[in-house]
Amino acid sequence: MPPPLLDLVLQARSGTGRRELDFELFEGQPGVSRTVGFTAGYLDCSGDLGVGDREHSAFDGWIQEAGKTLPGQGWWSAFLQKFDSDERQALRAYVDAASEFRALSPAALASLTWRYGGSPPEPAIPRTLAATSRALLDVLLEMRRVGRILMYIGDARVERMAGYIDGYRLCLSLAGLKDEEYLRFERWLQDTSRVPLGHTWEDAFLQAAHGDHEAAIHRLLDCGAEFRALSSAC
């Protein structure tokens, strides 16, 4: 089953010897928007698997009570404002906040008012996967059907959507689940020249949409629907 999200966040403090902040959450060039998308995708997948992440709900509540964010303000907004839009500093602050939260005493954790009606994590209770899980393409097609991208990623930016996909896929992988369909979808995008070799869907679709991020994301979702329809017809 996938580990709690904060386990991944705190890997950034483990000193693996690789370049700074280089692990699944901050793959490549660290970016706040992509990281926010990653966390959303990872948490959505965890919920879809029936595991959930009550600890992260508690962290969300604590980070506001600790005065690090204002009511209704995400950590990314607060830390970017604090560090004059320096994304690397904002990410460091996010990791530091996760470390500070994990260092709280059991009594302090118990005294928190949990956000979203959460409760303190109970390690003694075994975490089990749901009998069924959704493939990533199912999630993308749901986004397309609902038509409100902001419900899932909060801001219609291609890097945030790419992060969401990365987070969802990593969660599935850490749960021991393979999503072969999405791999076939990626190959199909290249085989049909929708995404040229050496390019990502983000830059290819953003260029095709003349810089319109939301249109680029909808292009990806439309391609997903076309691919699923073709696969179903075979």
Side-chain angles (χ1 to χ4, degrees):
M1 62 190 65
L5 177 60
L6 292 188
D7 282 4
L8 300 184
V9 174
L10 291 174
Q11 287 181 26
R13 297 175 64 92
S14 64
T16 60
R18 296 185 294 167
R19 67 182 184 274
E20 187 177 23
L21 298 182
D22 177 16
F23 69 113
E24 290 90 346
L25 186 56
F26 304 119
E27 192 65 47
Q29 292 297 318
V32 169
S33 184
R34 194 179 188 102
T35 300
V36 173
F38 180 100
T39 60
Y42 192 93
L43 292 171
D44 278 359
C45 174
S46 184
D48 288 343
L49 292 174
V51 176
D53 196 331
R54 290 184 298 165
E55 181 188 44
H56 199 272
S57 295
F59 174 66
D60 276 344
W62 168 82
I63 203 170
Q64 179 178 309
E65 290 191 9
K68 300 180 186 298
T69 65
L70 297 174
Q73 183 183 38
W75 64 263
W76 53 95
S77 175
F79 293 156
L80 284 173
Q81 182 178 2
K82 179 178 180 180
F83 296 107
D84 297 323
S85 299
D86 186 323
E87 297 202 16
R88 189 174 292 274
Q89 289 278 54
L91 290 175
R92 285 199 191 102
Y94 174 51
V95 175
D96 288 345
S99 179
E100 184 180 346
F101 173 79
R102 277 281 180 91
L104 293 174
S105 68
L109 287 171
S111 69
L112 289 171
T113 302
W114 298 108
R115 195 174 182 182
Y116 304 121
S119 58
E122 300 178 45
I125 299 179
R127 290 160 25 118
T128 58
L129 296 178
T132 59
S133 60
R134 296 197 297 173
L136 177 55
L137 208 58
D138 291 330
V139 180
L140 299 186
L141 294 182
E142 179 183 270
M143 287 187 190
R144 182 175 184 267
R145 183 172 62 254
V146 172
R148 297 179 63 186
I149 296 171
L150 302 187
M151 289 177 56
Y152 297 87
I153 60 175
D155 188 15
R157 304 283 301 179
V158 294
E159 63 271 15
R160 190 169 291 198
M161 184 66 182
Y164 184 96
I165 291 171
D166 289 345
Y168 204 100
R169 294 181 73 183
L170 179 63
C171 175
L172 288 176
S173 176
L174 293 177
L177 301 172
K178 293 184 178 180
D179 191 348
E180 300 289 351
E181 182 186 37
Y182 195 81
L183 293 175
R184 294 195 300 272
F185 173 56
E186 287 185 314
R187 288 195 295 269
W188 176 80
L189 288 175
Q190 291 192 340
D191 291 344
T192 57
S193 299
R194 286 168 171 79
V195 176
L197 287 174
H199 291 262
T200 63
W201 72 263
E202 303 102 276
D203 58 55
F205 290 173
L206 192 60
Q207 181 178 3
H210 306 290
D212 186 327
H213 283 252
E214 187 166 2
I217 294 171
H218 278 292
R219 186 179 181 90
L220 174 70
L221 303 183
D222 289 344
C223 284
E226 182 181 353
F227 174 78
R228 176 64 70 80
L230 290 172
S231 299
S232 299
C234 294

